[in-house]
């Protein structure tokens, strides 16, 4: 069985897949890539004043920096970023052929970009961890 943190990590992978592969500029707040303080209730003066939960530093040594970079979610986000960098359509293309599949446990769409008379398309399929068949449109 999966632990609670495995479930959180998998949900975060889906969330970041949607953020990184959809239209717009992806945003990652410091600490999210290592699930910093996941599951703890946010409280305190800083939260009331800034609407952000500050929990302190987790990167105070070379060892902790290396640990953060090797975190499962951090490595996943790095791979997502590499894919986004490689395909211009993922950065600037319009979303077409958007469909929910398998009782809303999967999402598929195409990112299309026309540059210099050339159409560039990328098919995106995201699943919530359940088996799913995707169909290329057209």
């Amino acid at each position: 069985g999966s632990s609670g943190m495995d479930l959180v990590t998998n949900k975060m992978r889906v969330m970041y897949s949607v953020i990184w592969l959809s239209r717009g500029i992806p945003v990652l707040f410091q600490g999210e890539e290592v699930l910093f303080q996941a599951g703890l209730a946010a409280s305190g003066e800083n939260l009331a004043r800034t609407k952000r939960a500050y929990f302190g530093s987790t990167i105070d040594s070379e060892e902790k920096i290396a640990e953060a970079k090797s975190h499962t979610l951090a490595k996943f986000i790095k791979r997502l970023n590499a894919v986004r960098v490689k395909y211009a359509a993922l950065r600037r293309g319009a979303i077409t052929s958007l469909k929910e599949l398998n009782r809303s446990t999967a999402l598929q769409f195409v990112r299309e970009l026309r540059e210099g008379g050339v159409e560039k398309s990328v098919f995106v399929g995201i699943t919530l961890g359940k088996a799913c068949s995707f169909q290329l449109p057209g």
Side-chain angles (χ1 to χ4, degrees), residues 65 100 138:
I65 291 171
E100 288 183 29

mmCIF file of all heavy atoms in Angstrom, residues 65 100 138:
data_model
loop_
_atom_site.group_PDB
_atom_site.id
_atom_site.type_symbol
_atom_site.label_atom_id
_atom_site.label_comp_id
_atom_site.label_asym_id
_atom_site.label_seq_id
_atom_site.Cartn_x
_atom_site.Cartn_y
_atom_site.Cartn_z
ATOM 1 N N ILE A 65 21.068 20.762 0.671
ATOM 2 C CA ILE A 65 20.827 21.177 -0.710
ATOM 3 C C ILE A 65 20.811 19.944 -1.614
ATOM 4 O O ILE A 65 19.927 19.784 -2.452
ATOM 5 C CB ILE A 65 21.882 22.203 -1.181
ATOM 6 C CG1 ILE A 65 21.676 23.526 -0.438
ATOM 7 C CG2 ILE A 65 21.819 22.414 -2.694
ATOM 8 C CD1 ILE A 65 22.776 24.541 -0.654
ATOM 9 N N GLU A 100 -11.772 15.314 -20.830
ATOM 10 C CA GLU A 100 -11.640 14.532 -19.600
ATOM 11 C C GLU A 100 -11.948 13.090 -19.965
ATOM 12 O O GLU A 100 -12.839 12.829 -20.761
ATOM 13 C CB GLU A 100 -12.625 15.011 -18.538
ATOM 14 C CG GLU A 100 -12.286 16.338 -17.940
ATOM 15 C CD GLU A 100 -13.250 16.722 -16.837
ATOM 16 O OE1 GLU A 100 -13.802 15.825 -16.167
ATOM 17 O OE2 GLU A 100 -13.457 17.926 -16.667
ATOM 18 N N GLY A 138 -7.857 13.468 -34.287
ATOM 19 C CA GLY A 138 -7.670 13.593 -35.728
ATOM 20 C C GLY A 138 -7.557 12.346 -36.483
ATOM 21 O O GLY A 138 -7.642 11.263 -36.336
#
